[in-house]
Amino acid sequence: MNIVDKFFRRINRLRISVTDLCNLRCVYCRPESGLPLIEHSNILTYEEIVTVVRHAVKLGIKSFRLTGGEPLARRNIEQLLLMLGDINHVEDLAVTTNGIYLKNYVQIMKKTGKYRLNISLDSLNAAKFERITRGGKLGDVLEGIESVLDLGFKNTKINVVAMKGINDDEFEVFARLTMDKSLEVRFIEYMAMNKETMVDQDKFIPMSDIVDMINRDNELIALPPPELGSGAAKTYKIKGARGTLGFVSAVSQPFCGSCNRLRLTSDGKLRACLLSGGEVDLRLILRNNPTEEQLTDAFYRAANLKPSAHAGKGHAVMHQVGG
Ligand code: SAM
């Protein structure tokens, strides 16, 4: 069985926010004072997440990503990592993490043989990293990345949110990491979010400018889109490099036309889109002894809510929906 939405997009990916909690307060994502938290009883249990994933697999969804908040900050997350790693026909399990706790979980993830990692890292300068994340220690993330590389994970990505006047002096250094490391450095356009998170639009840099900046002193070779993936990033390689570069232009060139995902929030809402559309209260269904048909219906209803394209910048709440 497959899910196809109103605009003939085949839905085959699910992004799961496992917690709204985060151990960092990145300036573009959360206010310094933190956010009101979702009551714990409203957060999906690991068993409920596993029920959703098992059902999604039956509907042709084979690719899953854990995000948050910070997924590795949820208590006993190793249990969920193992439970998901055990589900048949799950082809692709990815985790988006800030990397602070990563080294504690790489062995478990490696053991299942199914995980790949996207690690967010906006600066390689310890003081600047601490300012952007409001207190994070760069050394923890670098240790995490080293252990991922040592253990030979495939398709590891470093996500860099590009911010004018903040980390644009480091784009070249980030790009050159790919010369001898087997990973993809992905530059992500900065999105204007909720007012409270102090985002100001003049930090925005269009992806085309970043490509030009890196192209100035490096020979970039364009690569074909990967087989597995939503085509969100344009990928390149610096001539002679081991790794690759990705450019995600969600703002200047939205990729809604090829969007093939649904999102599950930590409190169990199945959402059509990060920025617009609507949601289905899957938690309510999960907690009322659902039949297979009711679960299937929830997925179809959420897919039907997917807009052809999102409404623009909007007031997304990345930390709640899960970036
Ligand atoms: N805590 C995890 C992490 O840091 O990767 C997962 C959640 S975080 C919300 C997911 C991604 O969203 C991170 O790569 C983060 O940099 C990105 N993000 C958050 N706010 C953003 C914004 N305003 N513009 C662009 N990317 C943003």
Side-chain angles (χ1 to χ4, degrees):
M1 207 188 288
N2 287 322
I3 307 179
V4 178
D5 76 2
K6 289 192 295 227
F7 305 98
F8 307 105
R9 292 170 299 201
R10 160 108 195 266
I11 308 302
N12 53 17
R13 294 160 82 87
L14 180 64
R15 199 173 268 240
I16 302 169
S17 174
V18 299
T19 178
D20 56 324
L21 286 172
C22 192
N23 51 336
L24 297 180
R25 298 272 175 281
C26 297
V27 289
Y28 49 73
C29 192
R30 283 174 189 249
E32 190 161 15
S33 53
L35 290 159
L37 292 178
I38 300 173
E39 205 180 301
H40 188 69
S41 61
N42 289 335
I43 299 286
L44 292 189
T45 64
Y46 291 159
E47 287 72 20
E48 286 168 338
I49 293 175
V50 167
T51 302
V52 174
V53 170
R54 281 190 195 287
H55 198 78
V57 168
K58 293 183 193 162
L59 301 175
I61 298 178
K62 303 281 172 66
S63 181
F64 300 86
R65 173 175 300 282
L66 304 185
T67 179
E70 169 51 37
L72 301 183
R74 181 158 169 187
R75 194 149 15 121
N76 300 327
I77 189 69
E78 66 281 2
Q79 293 174 3
L80 181 68
L81 295 173
L82 289 170
M83 286 154 93
L84 295 178
D86 236 16
I87 299 177
N88 284 339
H89 306 300
V90 169
E91 286 170 4
D92 183 38
L93 268 172
V95 178
T96 301
T97 172
N98 58 37
I100 298 284
Y101 299 142
L102 186 54
K103 60 176 179 298
N104 305 334
Y105 297 104
V106 282
Q107 297 284 357
I108 288 169
M109 289 192 252
K110 186 67 189 171
K111 207 163 80 183
T112 70
K114 289 195 180 168
Y115 284 93
R116 62 191 176 88
L117 287 148
N118 279 23
I119 303 149
S120 305
L121 178 59
D122 302 328
S123 177
L124 292 164
N125 171 303
K128 200 197 285 182
F129 179 82
E130 199 164 331
R131 275 200 306 278
I132 295 174
T133 58
R134 296 200 184 99
K137 298 278 171 268
L138 176 65
D140 293 338
V141 185
L142 296 182
E143 261 186 76
I145 295 174
E146 277 312 311
S147 49
V148 166
L149 292 173
D150 287 348
L151 287 171
F153 279 83
K154 299 264 181 333
N155 294 321
T156 303
K157 298 189 177 83
I158 306 290
N159 282 347
V160 184
V161 176
M163 292 170 279
K164 194 183 282 176
I166 296 192
N167 62 357
D168 45 352
D169 56 334
E170 295 189 63
F171 294 164
E172 167 102 18
V173 185
F174 269 113
R176 302 285 308 173
L177 285 181
T178 63
M179 292 314 290
D180 60 357
K181 293 197 191 327
S182 175
L183 44 76
E184 179 163 307
V185 170
R186 277 190 153 194
F187 295 97
I188 297 177
E189 275 178 352
Y190 172 84
M191 290 199 247
M193 305 297 276
N194 200 318
K195 280 199 199 89
E196 294 165 75
T197 56
M198 78 133 252
V199 163
D200 67 82
Q201 193 55 39
D202 46 80
K203 292 200 181 65
F204 175 75
I205 313 178
M207 211 36 73
S208 51
D209 285 10
I210 306 174
V211 175
D212 288 347
M213 283 159 83
I214 295 172
N215 218 356
R216 218 172 288 147
D217 295 318
N218 302 280
E219 192 177 333
L220 286 183
I221 302 162
L223 301 174
E227 261 173 48
L228 192 72
S230 62
K234 291 207 174 67
T235 48
Y236 294 82
K237 199 180 185 64
I238 298 179
K239 194 172 178 198
R242 268 186 89 186
T244 54
L245 298 176
F247 297 91
V248 182
S249 51
V251 178
S252 66
Q253 287 177 303
F255 33 85
C256 305
S258 62
C259 178
N260 53 2
R261 63 173 76 119
L262 291 176
R263 294 170 179 268
L264 181 66
T265 64
S266 56
D267 58 347
K269 306 284 166 30
L270 199 52
R271 275 186 72 104
C273 165
L274 174 67
L275 299 178
S276 41
E279 59 188 28
V280 171
D281 190 346
L282 193 54
R283 186 184 76 223
L284 189 69
I285 298 169
L286 283 165
R287 295 189 178 174
N288 280 290
N289 223 356
T291 60
E292 296 266 306
E293 288 69 32
Q294 283 170 321
L295 290 174
T296 300
D297 177 65
F299 274 91
Y300 277 98
R301 274 193 287 139
N304 259 323
L305 291 170
K306 274 183 86 64
S308 63
H310 61 67
K313 296 176 186 87
H315 288 282
V317 272
M318 189 87 91
H319 45 79
Q320 281 172 353
V321 179

